[in-house]
Amino acid sequence: MSTEPEFRPGLEDIPAAKSAVSFLDGKKARLEYRGIPVEVLAKESCFEEVAWLLIKGDLPSQKQLAEFDHDLRQRRAIHYRLKDLIKCMPADGHPMDALHASVAALGMFYPCKTVADPVKNWDASMRLIAALPTLVTAFARTRRGDEILDPRSDLDHAANFYYMLTGKEPTPATRKVLDACLILHAEHTMNASTFTARVTGSTLASPYQTIASAIGSLSGPLHGGANEEALTQFEEIGGPEKVKSWLDGKRAADPKYKVMGLGHRVYKVKDARATVLQEIAEHAFSESCRPRAYETAIELENYAAGIYGPKGIYPNVDFYSGVVYQSLGIPTDVFTPIFAIARVAGWLAHWTEQLVGNRIFRPEQISIGKTDIAYVPLENRP
Ligand code: ACO
């Protein structure tokens, strides 16, 4: 008698890899990159150091970090033909679609016939980390009719991104907020986009194709796209005093209504990253100048806790990130691309890990369709 394998929708609780890149305890809101708590890294470290830590496995020495930082700065610029390509993209297209296409196109300038050489793979990893901010800002600027700005090698990763987007150098406080946001979003165990990266990587596709696939996965509203949706939701609600009637109305119309920025497959308490992002927001806004969207978010978190808390549904990273980005003057549809600028470090760490003793992903399905059906020629069909 054949026994059918158990089907777990969404592969819930099914390990897809053994990984040492990060650790997550969803009951204790504990997230560690290579053993170091993420909130410590957000305060003490910088994105460049975290990217090295994730991919290489240990904190860099001073010399290693200086060289890595230098190498990243050398790889920020993109070919003028890639800029021309980005200029030709539809201005009303989504920046995540532009990024997806741009990363695949970037790979055409640096063909990887094999992924067997760790030195070349490291070089491609550095180029991807370095060039993503250039690709994101090139589209963000050109679609509004502004000139694309070349990267500045005198600015660090976060500051250079802000400069290329806005044409202004960030204040030290803004730079620190952006840098912390990049750190908080850099890695998160076996989420959908990381799994996508590992699946594509397992076919020995190029690192550019691997990262382009992961970007596609991140773009969806159930994953990275939720940061944009969460801010739009706070604006739609219109103010903290309208939270109760808004949520009651949504739930009356659809008892399964999903509040954007709440819930997580692994977390059963508030996401540690949401807590840090809220601290950043609290620091940025004094009581007197809190944006309406932030006031609305706080009220929604409180009201939703009474309804969804017993089910373990609390704010995830996307709940407060949009409010923070908005306070920096960043357009709403660039929030998810910023997520990609950060998460590329985690994706590449997993890709590097996947290639060691790689085996192509090829899961099973439970077939529920018809079998052994006779082919009817077209002329004999009604
Ligand atoms: N609002 C209201 N109810 C929710 C929410 C939510 N945001 N999230 C989950 N639930 C409820 C579901 O209705 C379901 O209820 P039921 O048991 O009565 O049927 C239960 O909680 C389980 O929900 P699932 O959707 O099955 O949980 P899953 O683990 O598959 O999905 C996900 C996780 C996609 C994050 C989900 O919570 C969600 O859609 N959240 C909103 C979108 C979001 O914020 N995504 C960002 C996640 S973080 C990240 O990717 C960076």
Side-chain angles (χ1 to χ4, degrees), residues 222-223 226 256-259 261-263 265 311 313 316 318:
L222 294 187
H223 191 13
K256 294 274 174 198
Y257 183 78
K258 290 270 185 84
V259 179
L262 293 189
R265 175 67 60 79
K311 274 185 167 179
I313 297 165
N316 59 53
D318 290 327

Side-chain angles (χ1 to χ4, degrees), residues 24 30 72 105 128 378:
L24 173 58
R30 210 170 122 213
L72 287 177
L128 278 157
L378 186 57

Side-chain angles (χ1 to χ4, degrees), residues 187-196 218 223 264 343 347:
E187 162 62 10
H188 204 235
T189 68
M190 197 55 61
N191 54 85
S193 57
T194 299
F195 181 48
T196 304
L218 185 73
H223 191 13
H264 198 276
R343 183 57 62 84
W347 292 330

